[in-house]
Amino acid sequence: FFFASPIDDWLVSDSCGSATMGNPHTPPCADVPELAVPMPPSCPASWVAAALVLLVTLSVVRGMDDAATPFAALAIPASPLGTAPGHTPPVAWPASQRPLRVTLPHRAWDPRPRHAGAMEGGWARAAPGPEPTSRVAPRGIRAPPSTSTGVPAIWGLIAVVGAACALAMHRRRPQLTPSGPIHTCALAGTAPGPGATDDFDARCTGGGGGTISWTKQWWPLHVTEILDKRRPHGAQLLGQELVIWWDKTGADGAGAWRVFEDACPHRRAPLSEGRIEEDGRLLCAYHAWRFDGEGTCVALPQAGAEECRRLQGLPQACATPYPAQERQGILWVWGEAGAPGSPAAREASQQTPRLIPELVAHEADGRAGATPWNLRDLPYGWDFFMENVMDPAHVAVSHHGLAGNRYTGAKPVEFQLVRPPTYDEGFKFRFGPPKEGVTAAYNDFRPPCLLHISTEFSDGSTASLVLYATPIRPGYVRHIGCQAYVTSPEGKIPSSIVGRRTLPPPLGTFAPSIPVWLLHIVAPLFLHQDMAFLHHQEKILAHRGYSVNGPVPPTQSYVNSVFTPTTADRNVLCFRRWMATMGGGSLPWAPGTPPLPPREMDRAVLFECWHAHTKHCQHCLQALRAVVHLRNATACLGLFFALGLRTGPLRLVAASSFLGLAVALDMLKRLFYKYEFAHADND
Ligand code: FES
Ligand SMILES: [Fe+2]
């Protein structure tokens, strides 16, 4: 499994097209290799054990090594009849009596025939005899020189002990016990508690009235840094299929990202399956119609020159553009289609996307910064994403080991409403109690797409999570996020910012920054811990009558579908109240959008990463190619040293090092495809 295969190349080139996991319009690729082939054990201890067992085998095999007969070192008969290399068997064995391969350490070998089933000069036959046939070795294979006889045995012993330790570690599950008292209570009923009082609901309803227009909004659609400009990309917004492409002739030659409806006006073939040609036009690869950045058809090869000029002016021949702009590294798209100069384009020009507040506020003094963007399509809805990220009570529990301890960190949470809800500006809560060194923490919901979690520190710096969410289709959300910060007056960056140098100069000058792809592949370590709940939670509540996926408002209110007796749920309840009133109760999916899909019970599909991120990100695709090549090279070097003609401990050290590195790289490669997580295993 170490070697490159057409499967690897196929994956890297994404011949699977633009299908995303569970895309109702496109069947999932049946031959996604990481899902289709049997997976070896993913536990690191199992891998260590497997590597050590491999080492044992190589050590044992090496014991049979004969410098003059490398085939014999592998114990592979050179002929179909299983004779030793270069030796012609006197008898042709019938198929039912094929010779056995003998692979025993040299000290167990005895060149003499032991029973009637053995053949002189050949391999032992599987016939009953006084001794096992495996104790008979072919003539001509000699033991290694006595000077090296101890080395394989020592390595084998070390490997066996190591494998036993690794397996023992794998089986051991530390039993953690809560350090504090466990409170139990007898529930008298399901009446709303302090988290859901009418008074609180009334305050969360806010003032001003009104209902948000979900389509007259700027939505974050993609991260431009990770987009490949050489090809069109499929995307979705509220169930509408879109195509993103780079128009190198746009913006007076500076280039601009364009977003069209993903359907050619000719016969509705997806433009995301098209091409970007040398002249900078988007070409529909079905009949070669070409479109410029405003959607105008500039080439229609099936028409003559005269007819072509006439047809090009017709609106029916134009692609359908959406207003789009790039701000702060994100491609923003307006929720309604419209060519330049259209009413939709004019409306869009009067609104500003939900930009990172710190970067806007500190543009002049330069005290603010942000980490690289991450993007991920998650298999749960927009509302469950928002609900999850504005719920600090889950952090220590769900992210046990990464961001807290489920046994000591689960505590009461208090909320203070600092900006009452409005349909267009959302609402803001201060929550606590604050941790040491923190003066205040806030959840700021800015519809339609931003949840901004900020933490203010006593040294004057601020760290934030900028969490965007775009509803792409029922049951799926596109999350784009980063960390932002404002330095202290002394210029210190908060230590919680990952991916930015925090060492003071001059050390910081030499500290390497974390590669973007590495930040991307570790993101599921955090996100999948919540996804294990949210994907199913959404369907369970829908089954009980609560869903924002329409086409009509839910038949059951959220507060009557759950039991939220503590103040820890206040922020979530306010969000659900906002959604039911100012949010209109449901999301306006495009006509024909399939309904909420059923629960995905196959964990290999649910926790996959290829469709969720890797295929969308040119950084990760490049890193994946490099990892595959490096893995293959180290595996070849490992095998070269393992099967080399010279003996000695240095050779075995080199072989085990390279093979171990190859195994580690193979494990790294798998993170580009899948990261499974189970809370039951997270001790
Ligand atoms: S469908 Fe696009 S050119 Fe025919
Ligand atoms: Fe990536």
Side-chain angles (χ1 to χ4, degrees):
F1 61 88
F2 290 118
F3 294 96
S5 66
I7 286 176
D8 285 329
D9 295 334
W10 177 87
L11 275 174
V12 173
S13 66
D14 188 20
S15 60
C16 194
S18 62
T20 54
M21 183 183 71
N23 184 342
H25 302 297
T26 311
C29 299
D31 49 350
V32 173
E34 293 303 313
L35 307 181
V37 298
M39 298 290 291
S42 58
C43 170
S46 304
W47 276 100
V48 171
L52 292 173
V53 168
L54 178 64
L55 190 58
V56 172
T57 307
L58 288 172
S59 301
V60 169
V61 165
R62 183 55 199 163
M64 298 173 62
D65 195 355
D66 186 332
T69 56
F71 283 109
L74 281 172
I76 298 173
S79 80
L81 296 177
T83 59
H87 190 88
T88 305
V91 178
W93 296 99
S96 60
Q97 295 176 319
R98 285 286 159 83
L100 296 178
R101 293 179 185 177
V102 182
T103 53
L104 271 185
H106 62 275
R107 278 175 291 182
W109 292 357
D110 186 341
R112 294 168 298 169
R114 292 299 181 100
H115 57 81
M119 181 182 67
E120 185 184 2
W123 296 86
R125 186 169 43 163
E131 292 185 31
T133 57
S134 61
R135 295 186 63 83
V136 181
R139 193 179 66 177
I141 298 179
R142 56 185 168 80
S146 59
T147 51
S148 64
T149 52
V151 174
I154 290 171
W155 275 95
L157 184 62
I158 292 172
V160 167
V161 171
C165 291
L167 287 173
M169 285 164 56
H170 174 50
R171 289 173 186 281
R172 189 174 65 85
R173 295 267 175 84
Q175 299 299 313
L176 296 181
T177 53
S179 59
I182 301 288
H183 300 285
T184 58
C185 59
L187 299 178
T190 57
T197 60
D198 288 343
D199 177 51
F200 185 76
D201 278 359
R203 279 187 287 136
C204 272
T205 303
T211 304
I212 191 172
S213 170
W214 292 98
T215 55
K216 296 183 186 303
Q217 305 286 343
W218 285 106
W219 290 95
L221 191 62
H222 219 298
V223 177
T224 56
E225 185 197 18
I226 68 174
L227 278 168
D228 186 346
K229 291 181 176 177
R230 298 166 300 177
R231 56 186 300 166
H233 304 269
Q236 287 181 312
L237 170 65
L238 287 166
Q240 177 65 55
E241 303 286 345
L242 302 172
V243 57
I244 301 168
W245 64 284
W246 175 250
D247 173 16
K248 69 179 182 184
T249 65
D252 297 326
W257 288 103
R258 307 294 191 190
V259 179
F260 290 177
E261 181 185 336
D262 192 16
C264 174
H266 177 213
R267 279 165 46 193
R268 306 298 168 190
L271 292 168
S272 57
E273 290 298 324
R275 298 171 50 82
I276 297 172
E277 294 297 324
E278 282 295 312
D279 61 358
R281 311 300 193 194
L282 176 64
L283 177 135
C284 177
Y286 200 10
H287 304 98
W289 290 25
R290 293 188 189 214
F291 305 93
D292 68 11
E294 297 184 355
T296 305
C297 180
V298 295
L300 203 157
Q302 287 78 26
E306 187 64 28
E307 189 186 9
C308 185
R309 269 192 293 278
R310 182 181 65 80
L311 292 173
Q312 284 171 355
L314 297 177
Q316 299 95 314
C318 295
T320 306
Y322 280 68
Q325 60 175 311
E326 182 182 358
R327 299 287 297 274
Q328 294 183 341
I330 286 182
L331 174 61
W332 298 84
V333 64
W334 187 249
E336 294 179 356
S342 66
R346 282 198 297 276
E347 263 184 304
S349 66
Q350 291 162 7
Q351 282 196 37
T352 305
R354 294 285 184 198
L355 302 176
I356 301 176
E358 289 88 344
L359 296 187
V360 175
H362 291 273
E363 194 170 6
D365 62 23
R367 281 178 57 197
T371 61
W373 291 110
N374 199 348
L375 174 147
R376 198 158 288 270
D377 290 347
L378 299 166
Y380 49 87
W382 169 91
D383 54 323
F384 280 86
F385 179 90
M386 286 297 182
E387 174 190 293
N388 170 248
V389 294
M390 61 178 65
D391 171 29
H394 85 280
V395 174
V397 185
S398 180
H399 305 296
H400 172 79
L402 276 182
N405 184 304
R406 70 166 71 91
Y407 303 111
T408 60
K411 293 175 179 168
V413 183
E414 296 294 336
F415 287 100
Q416 180 188 0
L417 190 63
V418 295
R419 193 182 70 244
T422 58
Y423 76 93
D424 54 348
E425 291 300 330
F427 52 84
K428 184 175 182 178
F429 277 95
R430 176 176 177 160
F431 64 90
K435 295 178 181 174
E436 188 180 343
V438 173
T439 55
Y442 298 94
N443 280 343
D444 190 354
F445 171 58
R446 297 280 182 173
C449 57
L450 174 62
L451 196 281
H452 183 259
I453 306 173
S454 57
T455 306
E456 296 175 358
F457 297 98
S458 50
D459 67 356
S461 63
T462 303
S464 306
L465 286 172
V466 182
L467 305 172
Y468 291 117
T470 298
I472 52 181
R473 59 185 182 276
Y476 288 87
V477 63
R478 169 157 290 186
H479 163 49
I480 296 174
C482 75
Q483 287 181 292
Y485 60 86
V486 179
T487 64
S488 68
E490 294 76 34
K492 183 174 177 293
I493 298 175
S495 59
S496 60
I497 301 297
V498 179
R500 280 287 180 272
R501 291 193 297 261
T502 55
L503 295 174
L507 291 178
T509 308
F510 303 105
S513 57
I514 301 174
V516 172
W517 64 268
L518 195 54
L519 291 173
H520 288 179
I521 63 168
V522 299
L525 305 186
F526 205 85
L527 291 169
H528 285 195
Q529 292 182 327
D530 289 334
M531 196 251 282
F533 308 117
L534 300 173
H535 171 81
H536 301 290
Q537 188 185 6
E538 178 181 39
K539 282 76 181 177
I540 292 169
L541 279 167
H543 185 67
R544 289 168 170 256
Y546 179 80
S547 172
V548 302
N549 294 302
V552 293
T555 57
Q556 182 67 273
S557 73
Y558 181 81
V559 75
N560 286 334
S561 306
V562 296
F563 177 54
T564 49
T566 73
T567 57
D569 296 311
R570 282 191 159 181
N571 203 157
V572 170
L573 290 173
C574 189
F575 168 69
R576 290 295 179 183
R577 166 65 73 176
W578 180 93
M579 189 65 210
T581 54
M582 300 170 192
S586 62
L587 294 170
W589 300 107
T593 303
L596 187 69
R599 293 171 70 175
E600 176 58 69
M601 305 309 285
D602 185 345
R603 298 178 70 83
V605 175
L606 192 59
F607 290 98
E608 71 88 37
C609 299
W610 171 259
H611 293 300
H613 174 80
T614 304
K615 76 174 189 179
H616 302 296
C617 177
Q618 61 173 345
H619 293 301
C620 286
L621 289 173
Q622 287 168 4
L624 176 58
R625 288 189 195 100
V627 167
V628 168
H629 290 323
L630 201 57
R631 178 203 62 180
N632 296 342
T634 51
C636 288
L637 281 171
L639 290 175
F640 172 78
F641 282 107
L643 305 175
L645 301 182
R646 296 182 181 281
T647 60
L650 274 181
R651 180 181 60 80
L652 286 174
V653 169
S656 54
S657 300
F658 279 116
L659 288 175
L661 186 56
V663 170
L665 288 168
D666 196 71
M667 292 167 64
L668 180 63
K669 176 204 147 197
R670 287 167 188 276
L671 290 179
F672 290 95
Y673 296 106
K674 186 180 68 169
Y675 175 72
E676 278 192 55
F677 177 82
H679 287 276
D681 297 330
N682 183 24
D683 294 327

